[in-house]
């Protein structure tokens, strides 16, 4: 009886976990022999361009549920982003400049100042999703039956999972003494000549937040 | 007779500029009274709108679309439909808001939500053309008479952090607001243009 109960609880947890990601699960097809360089060739964030992204999303931080709409200019190559979040009537909620090491708060509406961890959480999310860490040909490549994994060690372990045909980045994960987070990339479609995900989900288990992001439209400026 | 004609001509020549150049303060008062009078007969409004948010730092304008409903005295529905469904409704002191990305609608009490209170007060004042309330909130100047366009600078201390000025345009018959521009410090702005406005049509009570 207890085992049955345990299975039921596990199933319920799994189902609730899946339900919180509102995107189609990616199809993982059989893999083939491939070098890391070839795996990274179609990676949209490896291109030397500045992306201009209109997005919407839901940020959940310790009980706070913040729907956002906004715009971002992203230079993944130089690891820099400027993003503005708006509420439905166009009121600016925050305006941040995020680099690999810093976050500059250009504007933060007074209602959000009671959540002092918000700018850092948003900045960490932007870095992890878009530019830090980035997969590299120097990473250790493992080819499984239905996925490709690029990994690097150190105090914390970072893993990039690619899948599908052509293989695209499906997951990033950072686990170790100082971090425990993962990002999922969903619903790739061709935009501006590149395969770009429509949906992104990030969970930082240690900091206790999730971000669900919809990339509504993407354009770019060639550098 | 010739002298009398000359005198009359001179008198008219002197009077004409005085008639044409009405004191700006008096002209504004006259226009505000006309707006208040024209809007007094409006019980309901329903209108499509386009919202253009200009972000100066990106030189980018984000376009959203939606529909607006008002029923006198204090019912509002502000409904964004594109690109993401979101909005709020207000019925007296309470209401609810929703956002496609956040799930089900959440009720709110306006007394406990200063942000919503501010937005609702503004929308209600413009829908009702509540001149008494607006004159207390803004220093107004008349930008043009045809169509009536007003420039409003907030009087409330601290408001200048968010709004430099508003520019409000009325329809040709001066019954309802047709455009709202919110100009923020730093160059960002929001323009809301209402179109296909229906006046005094019955509205489904379920909207509120």
């Amino acid at each position: 009886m207890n085992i049955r109960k345990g299975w039921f609880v596990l199933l319920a947890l799994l189902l609730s976990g899946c339900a919180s990601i509102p995107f189609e699960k990616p199809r993982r097809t059989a893999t083939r022999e491939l070098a890391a360089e070839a795996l990274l060739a179609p990676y949209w964030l490896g291109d030397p361009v500045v992306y201009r992204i209109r997005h919407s999303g839901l940020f959940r931080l310790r009980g706070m549920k913040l729907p956002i709409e906004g715009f971002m200019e992203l230079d993944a190559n130089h690891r820099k982003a400027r993003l503005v979040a708006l509420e439905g009537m166009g009121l600016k909620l925050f305006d941040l400049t995020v680099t690999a090491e810093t976050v500059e708060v250009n504007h933060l509406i007074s209602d959000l100042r009671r959540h002092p961890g918000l700018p850092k959480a948003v900045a960490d999310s932007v870095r992890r999703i878009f530019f830090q860490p980035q997969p590299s040909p120097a990473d250790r490549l493992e080819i499984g039956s239905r996925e490709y994994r690029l990994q690097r060690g150190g105090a914390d372990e970072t893993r990039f999972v690619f899948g599908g045909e052509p293989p695209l980045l499906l997951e990033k994960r950072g686990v170790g003494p100082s971090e425990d987070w993962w990002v999922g990339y969903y619903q790739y479609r061709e935009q501006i000549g590149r395969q770009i995900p429509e949906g992104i989900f990030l969970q930082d288990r240690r900091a206790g937040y999730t971000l669900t992001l919809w990339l509504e439209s993407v354009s770019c400026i060639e550098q | 007779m010739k002298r009398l004609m000359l005198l009359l001509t001179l008198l008219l020549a002197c009077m004409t500029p005085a008639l044409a150049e009405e004191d700006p303060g008096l002209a504004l008062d006259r226009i505000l009274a006309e707006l208040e009078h024209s809007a007094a007969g409006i019980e309901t409004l329903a209108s499509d709108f386009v919202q253009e948010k200009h972000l100066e730092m990106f030189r980018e304008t984000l376009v959203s679309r939606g529909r607006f409903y008002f029923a006198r005295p204090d019912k509002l529905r502000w409904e964004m439909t594109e690109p993401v469904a979101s909005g709020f409704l207000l019925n007296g002191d309470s209401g609810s808001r929703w956002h496609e990305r956040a799930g089900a609608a959440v009720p709110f009490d306006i007394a406990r939500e200063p942000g919503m209170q501010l937005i609702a007060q503004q929308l209600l004042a413009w829908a009702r053309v509540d001149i008494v309330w607006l004159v207390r909130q803004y220093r107004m100047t008349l930008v043009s008479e045809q169509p009536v366009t007003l420039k409003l600078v907030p009087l409330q201390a601290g408001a200048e952090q968010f709004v430099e000025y508003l520019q409000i345009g009325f329809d040709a018959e001066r019954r309802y607001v047709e455009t709202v521009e919110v100009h923020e410090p730093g160059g960002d702005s929001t323009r809301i243009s209402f179109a296909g406005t229906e006046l005094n049509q019955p509205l489904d009570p379920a909207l509120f």
Side-chain angles (χ1 to χ4, degrees):
Chain A
M1 187 66 181
N2 279 342
I3 293 172
R4 279 182 68 188
K5 209 171 175 181
W7 275 110
F8 181 76
V9 170
L10 185 63
L11 184 67
L13 281 171
L14 282 170
L15 285 173
S16 64
C18 294
S20 64
I21 301 174
F23 307 118
E24 287 166 30
K25 211 174 163 187
R27 275 185 59 221
R28 299 193 187 203
T29 53
T31 53
R32 57 191 159 97
E33 277 304 311
L34 211 59
E37 288 82 356
L39 200 58
L40 294 175
Y43 180 50
W44 68 293
L45 293 169
D47 291 343
V49 298
V50 174
Y51 287 103
R52 292 167 68 84
I53 302 171
R54 185 171 186 180
H55 58 268
S56 65
L58 179 65
F59 196 83
R60 292 172 191 255
L61 171 67
R62 295 193 193 94
M64 178 187 68
K65 212 169 164 184
L66 179 67
I68 49 168
E69 292 174 49
F71 193 81
M72 172 165 48
E73 203 165 80
L74 168 71
D75 184 346
N77 227 25
H78 293 96
R79 300 181 183 206
K80 189 174 179 182
R82 173 107 186 231
L83 74 152
V84 167
L86 308 163
E87 62 75 61
M89 289 193 74
L91 180 72
K92 209 191 293 179
L93 297 173
F94 57 79
D95 171 359
L96 306 176
T97 303
V98 180
T99 68
E101 308 294 338
T102 63
V103 54
E104 190 181 332
V105 180
N106 307 307
H107 174 81
L108 182 65
I109 194 170
S110 56
D111 282 7
L112 291 177
R113 289 192 190 134
R114 59 176 184 249
H115 302 285
L118 182 73
K120 183 184 181 310
V122 172
D124 284 345
S125 304
V126 168
R127 285 185 198 113
R128 285 165 179 165
I129 290 171
F130 296 107
F131 58 76
Q132 186 163 290
Q134 288 283 49
S136 152
D139 292 331
R140 191 172 69 252
L141 173 63
E142 282 179 10
I143 303 180
S145 63
R146 301 176 82 81
E147 66 181 32
Y148 306 82
R149 291 180 294 274
L150 286 174
Q151 296 183 91
R152 73 186 67 146
D156 294 343
E157 186 172 295
T158 306
R159 175 188 287 189
F160 307 89
V161 178
F162 293 75
E165 190 54 50
L168 299 168
L169 180 66
L170 304 180
E171 197 180 307
K172 261 189 205 182
R173 191 178 287 269
V175 182
S178 67
E179 58 183 354
D180 183 4
W181 58 268
W182 73 275
V183 184
Y185 300 85
Y186 303 87
Q187 296 173 202
Y188 275 91
R189 67 181 171 110
E190 190 167 324
Q191 291 188 77
I192 49 169
R194 294 161 175 85
Q195 288 292 328
I196 296 177
E198 277 183 306
I200 297 168
F201 182 84
L202 175 142
Q203 181 174 33
D204 187 325
R205 293 191 183 94
R206 197 147 299 170
Y209 64 81
T210 65
L211 173 63
T212 313
L213 205 59
W214 284 258
L215 306 190
E216 305 284 347
S217 64
V218 181
S219 61
C220 71
I221 308 165
E222 303 287 338
Q223 285 186 319
Chain B
M1 189 63 184
K2 258 186 178 177
R3 274 190 169 182
L4 188 63
M5 287 295 287
L6 185 66
L7 194 63
L8 274 172
T9 310
L10 278 170
L11 264 172
L12 277 172
C14 294
M15 282 171 71
T16 308
L19 286 172
E21 287 175 24
E22 188 182 5
D23 177 83
L26 291 176
L28 178 64
D29 290 346
R30 175 174 54 78
I31 293 286
L32 293 178
E34 281 176 27
L35 291 172
E36 198 167 31
H37 177 75
S38 308
I42 292 175
E43 292 298 318
T44 69
L45 281 168
S47 185
D48 294 325
F49 66 84
V50 177
Q51 179 177 295
E52 295 162 278
K53 176 76 189 181
H54 175 73
L55 294 167
E56 179 62 18
M57 79 204 73
F58 298 127
R59 308 252 177 227
E60 180 78 28
T61 301
L62 308 180
V63 180
S64 310
R65 291 168 207 282
R67 192 151 172 84
F68 168 68
Y69 301 90
F70 162 72
R72 201 177 278 272
D74 54 9
K75 292 187 173 79
L76 279 177
R77 185 183 178 94
W78 185 266
E79 188 176 334
M80 306 292 289
T81 52
E82 289 176 44
V84 181
S86 67
F88 70 93
L89 64 87
L90 183 73
N91 190 341
D93 292 334
S94 61
S96 66
R97 64 170 155 239
W98 62 92
H99 197 286
E100 189 184 335
R101 302 309 185 209
V106 180
F108 66 82
D109 178 349
I110 203 153
R112 294 180 184 181
E113 300 248 359
M116 283 307 300
Q117 194 172 35
L118 193 73
I119 290 170
Q121 274 175 340
Q122 291 286 331
L123 286 173
L124 281 171
W126 288 110
R128 294 191 290 228
V129 193
D130 184 348
I131 298 297
V132 175
W133 188 86
L134 290 167
V135 164
R136 283 205 305 263
Q137 304 295 318
Y138 299 102
R139 181 166 51 79
M140 295 192 192
T141 47
L142 185 62
V143 177
S144 83
E145 276 205 47
Q146 287 301 340
V148 169
T149 307
L150 303 174
K151 181 178 175 179
L152 298 95
V153 178
L155 293 171
Q156 200 184 342
E160 70 281 356
Q161 291 175 53
F162 307 103
V163 178
E164 201 173 300
Y165 68 92
L166 306 177
Q167 192 152 302
I168 310 290
F170 287 80
D171 76 301
E173 292 173 52
R174 304 176 176 182
R175 293 166 303 169
Y176 55 87
V177 171
E178 220 166 45
T179 57
V180 177
E181 288 176 21
V182 182
H183 295 262
E184 298 166 41
D188 289 358
S189 62
T190 305
R191 180 184 169 87
I192 304 172
S193 309
F194 296 91
T197 302
E198 296 167 1
L199 303 178
N200 295 333
Q201 295 300 308
L203 297 179
D204 183 349
L207 285 168
F208 310 105

